[in-house]
Amino acid sequence: MKNRNRNFNNSRHYIWIFLKYLFLIGILSSIVLLLLLGSSYQDFKSATRDGLNAKTALISALSATKTQNWSQAAQKAQEAEIDFSQAEKTLQKSRSNFTVKHLKIINSQVKDLDSLFSSGEILSHSLRALIPLAQNLDQIRSLSNQDNFQDLSTANKDNFLKTISSLGPELKNLKISLDLANSQLATIHHFGILWPLYQQIQDIRTKLTASSQLITNFSPLIKLLPAFSGTPETSRFLIILQNNDELRPSGGFIGVDAILEIKNGAIISLKTDDSYHLDMPASQSPKWNLKPPIILEKYLGVKKWYLRDANWSPDWPQSARKVVEIYNGESKALNKSTSYFTGIIAITPNLIADLIKFVGPLQVQGTTYQANDFQQLLQYNVEVAYKKQHISSWDRKEVVNNLMNELKLRLYQVPLKNWGNLLNIVEKNIVEKNIQIYFFNPNWENLAQKLQATGEIIKTNHDFLMVVDANLAAFKSDAVMKKDMTYTVLNKNGKIQANLQLNYQHQGKFNWRTTRYRSYTRIYVPLGSHLLSITGLQTNIANISTENNLTLGKTVFGFFFTVEPGNSRQIIIKYSLPKIIKQEIQDKDYQLLVEKQAGRRVNSLIVNLQFEPQENQHWSTTLNKNQVFKLNASP
């Protein structure tokens, strides 16, 4: 035992001696390193001091912008830019030192600091460049003593719109600067002199990426400002209100249309009309004889193609052109003047609900419309209540006009400082396809495509799926239909097969609003796919068809079915995918795009990839927007 204690004490003694020498060596190494660095050490201290001063100034500049103290913001942004620049120059001096130049570990730390200071200088300069524009917008508001756009004078409205339009080049430069700053920060090492700040740097990079993407998303919107504001020429839009409780291919039944005229940012006219006000007289006119698609003729019993059924294509550009053709064709047949439109805008009630949620409940004709009930309440008023109110069937939808104009007035009263929130609502509804826009001007249409607002069927060389329901004489039954989708791709004896399972559950009853569900449904899949089988349909009425739509670049399977209230139906469609998809799977490059039908409510979407045991993947999500699934990507 004594020997063990003696050995332990000896060992501890030698360890302490080793640690003392190690400590001395460390101190001596540090002294030698400082001697070798010489004046560069002072450069490091000076650069760090300037960098910290720059950081403080930049934070002060950002704080000043929040309080609209523009002179202080500009001054602090300039100070930050100067200090970051000085820190960079001082750091550059140290690079001539032999030790810094040739000792890799020191050189990499200097590079990290340089990247940080360079990013700060870029961001400070960008902020300083944007402050005059923000100040100009604020001054327009302040000088007019008004908080909302509607109450601005004509001159101030014009100045405001010109300032917004001038943001295009500045935003382009800002995006370049943000991306450059982000790339500089990306070079900073995880473990190094900036290790304590590494997570903060990553957070900044995330924000820079999001800001850059935001500029990308909204730059086309700024370029479209002349179209949306009616500057310098008056803009005239045909707005189509699509009721997705009665789902149709591009979003919903066209029960109401509206003509919107805008000049210099002011709405000079907004008038809605019942689509039957054109369709009913046109049905009696021998001058109107456009033949409808055979499916509409078969299941709706119509002999002519009317405005209310014009949106038969799920591709909005196609439907928009057909809407205008029928709108002007019926007008001409009735000896009414035809119209030229800047663009055609389709909206679903989801957009209106979001706007009501934003501005607050609307009071119209003694009724309060709120975001969560306006669609059903409005339907009740135009389908049932109008009779009790002694309103004629011809005028029953006048309430829609009153509702839209009240919403217009409330939106005009939104303070300019809240316009950012309004733009977020617009962006959300574009992504969810509650807003679809078609311009006849090809340049504007191209910009709308960049906004992803055109509602077109997307062309892709990858796997593709789009399910399109068309409610044909089933009242507003889509409001009570629960719809689920499961899509499975599997390798079956060397052939790639797709199995699509559609579940429809009718949760309604027979009443004024809902009835037996009747849908002609089309499945859009990659061009060259071959239908193998469909089960779950009533064979006597299914009317199964296959078409290669070369214009849209898709193969289309179509069929008709019904679901009784309280019942459900499961439909399974099996088809083989073209060889190009098999090649993608072999190349480990498989990708699936599931495109949302505008207005279609999907309770759940499940995607299964079953190529090889080690390559099985599963996703469970929703379909409130287009979804992309990639092989080996995280669910």
Side-chain angles (χ1 to χ4, degrees):
M1 177 68 75
K2 289 182 179 179
N3 289 334
R4 286 184 181 177
N5 288 335
R6 189 180 299 114
N7 290 336
F8 174 75
N9 288 331
N10 288 336
S11 298
R12 188 169 59 178
H13 174 71
Y14 290 125
I15 290 172
W16 277 113
I17 291 174
F18 172 77
L19 290 175
K20 281 196 292 183
Y21 279 113
L22 187 64
F23 179 69
L24 287 172
I25 291 169
I27 295 232
L28 288 171
S29 298
S30 299
I31 293 171
V32 170
L33 184 59
L34 287 173
L35 290 172
L36 289 173
L37 288 173
S39 62
S40 294
Y41 174 70
Q42 293 302 323
D43 290 337
F44 293 153
K45 285 181 63 178
S46 178
T48 302
R49 183 179 62 251
D50 289 335
L52 291 173
N53 290 339
K55 173 193 171 187
T56 302
L58 184 56
I59 291 173
S60 297
L62 291 170
S63 298
T65 62
K66 292 179 181 179
T67 58
Q68 285 83 48
N69 189 339
W70 304 114
S71 59
Q72 184 181 358
Q75 177 187 342
K76 290 297 180 181
Q78 185 176 24
E79 288 178 12
E81 185 180 357
I82 292 171
D83 284 341
F84 276 127
S85 177
Q86 184 58 47
E88 279 189 275
K89 291 176 182 176
T90 305
L91 210 56
Q92 286 296 327
K93 286 169 57 181
S94 70
R95 290 195 169 186
S96 61
N97 181 278
F98 180 86
T99 304
V100 173
K101 188 183 296 184
H102 294 92
L103 194 59
K104 188 175 181 180
I105 188 171
I106 300 295
N107 188 266
S108 66
Q109 307 310 305
V110 173
K111 285 182 178 178
D112 283 354
L113 281 172
D114 186 56
S115 295
L116 183 64
F117 296 154
S118 176
S119 298
E121 183 185 6
I122 292 167
L123 295 176
S124 301
H125 177 78
S126 299
L127 178 62
R128 193 160 64 90
L130 284 176
I131 285 173
L133 291 170
Q135 184 177 11
N136 189 21
L137 291 173
D138 188 51
Q139 284 177 344
I140 293 169
R141 179 190 62 80
S142 300
L143 289 172
S144 63
N145 198 30
Q146 302 296 337
D147 279 335
N148 59 70
F149 186 80
Q150 172 66 8
D151 293 333
L152 293 178
S153 67
T154 301
N156 280 328
K157 281 180 182 176
D158 186 55
N159 194 6
F160 185 88
L161 293 171
K162 285 180 179 177
T163 302
I164 295 291
S165 296
S166 70
L167 284 174
E170 293 295 337
L171 287 178
K172 182 179 179 181
N173 292 334
L174 177 60
K175 176 176 167 53
I176 293 172
S177 296
L178 293 179
D179 292 341
L180 180 57
N182 203 345
S183 65
Q184 291 275 18
L185 293 175
T187 65
I188 294 175
H189 298 86
H190 190 168
F191 298 104
I193 194 171
L194 296 175
W195 173 75
L197 302 176
Y198 189 77
Q199 187 54 54
Q200 294 180 43
I201 291 170
Q202 296 310 302
D203 292 342
I204 292 172
R205 290 195 63 210
T206 300
K207 291 176 181 178
L208 290 177
T209 301
S211 299
S212 177
Q213 186 59 49
L214 189 65
I215 293 172
T216 299
N217 292 345
F218 280 104
S219 289
L221 191 59
I222 291 174
K223 293 178 182 178
L224 282 169
L225 192 60
F228 288 126
S229 64
T231 307
E233 301 295 331
T234 300
S235 292
R236 198 163 192 262
F237 292 95
L238 178 62
I239 299 178
I240 301 299
L241 282 68
Q242 301 187 115
N243 187 349
N244 62 334
D245 280 352
E246 187 174 350
L247 191 60
R248 288 295 175 86
S250 78
F253 180 76
I254 303 175
V256 175
D257 60 84
I259 293 180
L260 170 67
E261 292 186 347
I262 306 174
K263 177 66 176 176
N264 294 330
I267 294 178
I268 57 179
S269 175
L270 174 61
K271 174 64 178 175
T272 69
D273 202 4
D274 189 336
S275 62
Y276 282 90
H277 288 179
L278 266 182
D279 290 348
M280 289 179 67
S283 68
Q284 306 298 318
S285 172
K287 297 179 181 179
W288 181 247
N289 292 295
L290 184 63
K291 189 172 179 61
I294 191 169
I295 297 300
L296 294 179
E297 186 174 4
K298 179 180 177 67
Y299 293 106
L300 295 181
V302 293
K303 301 298 182 184
K304 301 179 181 182
W305 201 349
Y306 300 112
L307 177 63
R308 62 182 182 266
D309 302 321
N311 56 347
W312 187 241
S313 173
D315 181 79
W316 178 242
Q318 284 191 355
S319 277
R321 290 190 291 268
K322 185 59 67 176
V323 164
V324 174
E325 178 189 344
I326 294 178
Y327 184 93
N328 280 331
E330 287 185 327
S331 297
K332 187 175 180 180
L334 299 174
N335 297 319
K336 294 182 178 182
S337 60
T338 58
S339 299
Y340 168 79
F341 297 107
T342 306
I344 318 298
I345 303 175
I347 63 175
T348 67
N350 301 64
L351 170 65
I352 308 299
D354 281 348
L355 292 176
I356 292 176
K357 187 176 181 179
F358 178 62
V359 302
L362 302 179
Q363 288 276 350
V364 177
Q365 294 179 201
T367 300
T368 301
Y369 293 91
Q370 301 188 77
N372 62 341
D373 67 2
F374 104 91
Q375 188 172 3
Q376 184 173 351
L377 186 56
L378 185 61
Q379 287 171 2
Y380 179 76
N381 283 334
V382 301
E383 298 288 347
V384 178
Y386 77 92
K387 299 174 184 176
K388 301 176 184 178
Q389 298 167 356
H390 306 293
I391 298 172
S392 69
S393 60
W394 185 262
D395 296 326
R396 64 194 174 100
K397 292 184 181 177
E398 185 63 26
V399 63
V400 179
N401 188 64
N402 297 335
L403 183 68
M404 293 291 285
N405 277 284
E406 177 63 21
L407 179 59
K408 177 197 74 174
L409 292 175
R410 295 287 291 277
L411 287 172
Y412 263 149
Q413 294 167 4
V414 172
L416 295 175
K417 64 182 180 181
N418 292 341
W419 274 28
N421 295 331
L422 186 58
L423 285 176
N424 289 337
I425 292 173
V426 171
E427 182 186 28
K428 169 182 176 287
N429 281 274
I430 285 174
V431 169
E432 295 177 357
K433 298 178 80 169
N434 299 319
I435 305 173
Q436 300 172 96
I437 306 168
Y438 177 77
F439 286 103
F440 290 95
N441 181 316
N443 293 328
W444 287 347
E445 177 67 3
N446 183 53
L447 289 169
Q449 284 178 338
K450 291 181 179 179
L451 277 174
Q452 299 181 14
T454 54
E456 61 188 14
I457 289 186
I458 299 170
K459 290 180 170 60
T460 175
N461 292 324
H462 299 286
D463 197 4
F464 178 90
L465 174 65
M466 185 180 189
V467 178
V468 179
D469 292 329
N471 176 330
L472 300 179
F475 297 175
K476 307 299 182 283
S477 296
D478 280 284
V480 294
M481 296 299 298
K482 181 183 177 184
K483 302 178 182 181
D484 298 279
M485 298 169 55
T486 300
Y487 182 70
T488 303
V489 183
L490 60 158
N491 190 339
K492 203 162 187 180
N493 300 322
K495 293 184 178 180
I496 305 303
Q497 180 177 311
N499 295 344
L500 174 62
Q501 178 179 303
L502 302 176
N503 292 321
Y504 293 84
Q505 183 181 358
H506 197 313
Q507 298 178 323
K509 301 176 180 179
F510 285 105
N511 55 35
W512 68 268
R513 187 173 180 235
T514 62
T515 184
R516 172 185 302 107
Y517 192 62
R518 294 162 41 95
S519 175
Y520 185 81
T521 294
R522 286 172 285 180
I523 314 298
Y524 288 74
V525 299
L527 189 65
S529 300
H530 294 282
L531 182 64
L532 301 175
S533 65
I534 300 183
T535 58
L537 298 173
Q538 306 114 300
T539 53
N540 59 321
I541 62 169
N543 196 18
I544 297 172
S545 67
T546 298
E547 172 198 1
N548 287 324
N549 189 320
L550 300 180
T551 302
L552 297 178
K554 310 296 179 195
T555 293
V556 187
F557 309 134
F559 50 85
F560 181 80
F561 67 95
T562 65
V563 184
E564 298 294 317
N567 290 352
S568 59
R569 183 173 298 282
Q570 182 180 95
I571 303 168
I572 299 176
I573 305 101
K574 297 182 179 180
Y575 56 95
S576 63
L577 290 165
K579 292 180 179 179
I580 189 173
I581 306 300
K582 180 178 180 180
Q583 187 61 49
E584 280 191 357
I585 294 171
Q586 291 174 346
D587 295 340
K588 313 296 184 184
D589 190 36
Y590 175 83
Q591 184 172 310
L592 166 69
L593 167 62
V594 182
E595 185 165 352
K596 169 189 169 68
Q597 176 192 6
R600 190 173 192 265
R601 305 179 183 98
V602 176
N603 179 62
S604 68
L605 168 64
I606 295 173
V607 174
N608 299 307
L609 304 183
Q610 299 176 4
F611 303 148
E612 300 293 342
Q614 66 273 22
E615 291 182 353
N616 289 350
Q617 283 191 267
H618 170 87
W619 291 268
S620 181
T621 183
T622 58
L623 194 57
N624 62 338
K625 61 181 181 180
N626 297 343
Q627 296 278 16
V628 175
F629 305 90
K630 296 181 180 180
L631 184 64
N632 297 323
S634 299

